[in-house]
Amino acid sequence: MKSGHATRAFFAILSREMLRFVQQKGRFFSALVRPLIWLIVFAAGFRAALGLSIIPPYKTYITYDVYVVPGLIGMIQLFAGMQNSLSMVYDREMGSMRVLLSTPLPRSYLLLARMLSGTFVSIIQVYAFVIIAMLLGTRLPVAGLIMMFPVLILTGMTLSALGMFLSSWIKQLENFAGVMNFLIFPMFFMSSALYPLWRMREGSVTIYELCLLNPFTYVVELIRFTIYREPNLMALGIVVATFLVFGIAALVGYTPARGGPTAGRGG
């Protein structure tokens, strides 16, 4: 694989995703509306009802809006990853996906480039949300938000790999949309995004254990600890392992031998 060809292919994929993102203004605003509703409406209601004790990585008592921001960042990336995979299904139905995967470049590189381009779009949405949250009065450490950037690449790629794996096995757009909703909401609500895990354990040990099995929990915790410049090697390891598992599974799914999108006949 020649580096010049690979670079041009990556920027072509990235520019296509950015152009699609710019043209679909509703996609950008809807990505911000969901977390802002939680931040403005629900955080105001839970501020008094949900007291948060001193738990890592926090060094003092915090308000609910501060706690929930990392979870809402994870929400943005989760929806963006699934949206990116939804567009993969659409491209496959239109035939452009088959054209992309028939190029001389390795299939693994093209899929990684597609995941990375979708991740960059999600990072733009994340920082737009963070700026609005800070303007609304949520106190966040600026240095930690800068350090968060490489972690957002990893977490965005992980969630994109999950969505890519699903898109490799689901052939129809309508079916993927249903599965996407079935997957997103349990992953989001059964995690530490909205409530601390010790609160979950007090309410239901079963739900608490499901939260521990949910890879999205570790995506949120990795983002949370990074914002406050604290290491969380367990979350980092699980996120990397999740990326590798679903990334490899997606690559296997997009192979001609499976009769998938790169097969000679219709995908």
Side-chain angles (χ1 to χ4, degrees):
M1 179 175 64
K2 295 183 178 180
S3 59
H5 292 165
T7 302
R8 285 194 295 272
F10 171 72
F11 281 106
I13 294 172
L14 178 61
S15 61
R16 183 173 183 269
E17 284 302 306
M18 293 300 297
L19 181 62
R20 177 183 289 178
F21 175 68
V22 170
Q23 291 177 340
Q24 298 174 349
K25 297 180 176 61
R27 176 180 170 185
F28 175 71
F29 290 111
S30 64
L32 294 181
V33 166
R34 283 186 295 263
L36 285 175
I37 288 176
W38 275 100
L39 184 66
I40 296 172
V41 179
F42 289 90
F46 286 134
R47 186 184 296 267
L50 185 63
L52 295 174
S53 59
I54 303 174
I55 55 174
Y58 307 109
K59 306 255 189 295
T60 184
Y61 290 95
I62 57 170
T63 55
Y64 183 71
D65 61 319
V66 172
Y67 175 84
V68 82
V69 162
L72 298 179
I73 290 173
M75 172 201 272
I76 292 172
Q77 289 206 297
L78 178 61
F79 275 89
M82 296 300 161
Q83 182 72 34
N84 185 41
S85 301
L86 183 63
S87 68
M88 287 279 285
V89 178
Y90 177 79
D91 288 348
R92 188 172 62 204
E93 288 192 350
M94 296 298 104
S96 56
M97 187 64 194
R98 187 179 295 109
V99 173
L100 174 66
L101 294 178
S102 64
T103 62
L105 293 171
R107 212 167 30 254
S108 57
Y109 176 80
L110 294 171
L111 292 175
L112 284 173
R114 184 63 186 265
M115 286 189 282
L116 190 56
S117 62
T119 297
F120 281 148
V121 170
S122 76
I123 291 175
I124 294 173
Q125 297 170 346
V126 164
Y127 278 108
F129 165 71
V130 167
I131 291 171
I132 296 174
M134 294 180 73
L135 291 175
L136 293 173
T138 302
R139 296 182 179 180
L140 299 169
V142 176
L145 295 173
I146 296 173
M147 289 180 61
M148 179 178 66
F149 181 79
V151 169
L152 290 178
I153 296 177
L154 173 60
T155 54
M157 290 286 284
T158 300
L159 296 171
S160 290
L162 172 60
M164 198 77 70
F165 164 69
L166 292 175
S167 71
S168 69
W169 290 89
I170 299 174
K171 297 184 179 297
Q172 294 184 345
L173 193 64
E174 297 81 3
N175 293 340
F176 184 81
V179 172
M180 185 174 68
N181 288 327
F182 180 77
L183 180 70
I184 283 178
F185 292 107
M187 284 187 67
F188 178 65
F189 287 109
M190 286 195 293
S191 72
S192 60
L194 301 178
Y195 319 103
L197 291 183
W198 64 268
R199 285 277 188 180
M200 292 286 194
R201 186 170 51 196
E202 287 182 350
S204 170
V205 175
T206 301
I207 297 297
Y208 168 74
E209 291 175 348
L210 290 174
C211 291
L212 293 180
L213 295 174
N214 182 3
F216 185 67
T217 291
Y218 302 97
V219 166
V220 172
E221 290 305 299
L222 184 58
I223 294 171
R224 189 189 311 282
F225 275 72
T226 303
I227 290 175
Y228 291 89
R229 292 179 286 176
E230 294 286 340
N232 191 329
L233 297 180
M234 179 179 178
L236 176 61
I238 292 175
V239 171
V240 170
T242 303
F243 168 66
L244 292 175
V245 168
F246 286 109
I248 294 171
L251 178 60
V252 171
Y254 279 94
T255 56
R258 197 186 69 81
T262 57
R265 56 188 181 275

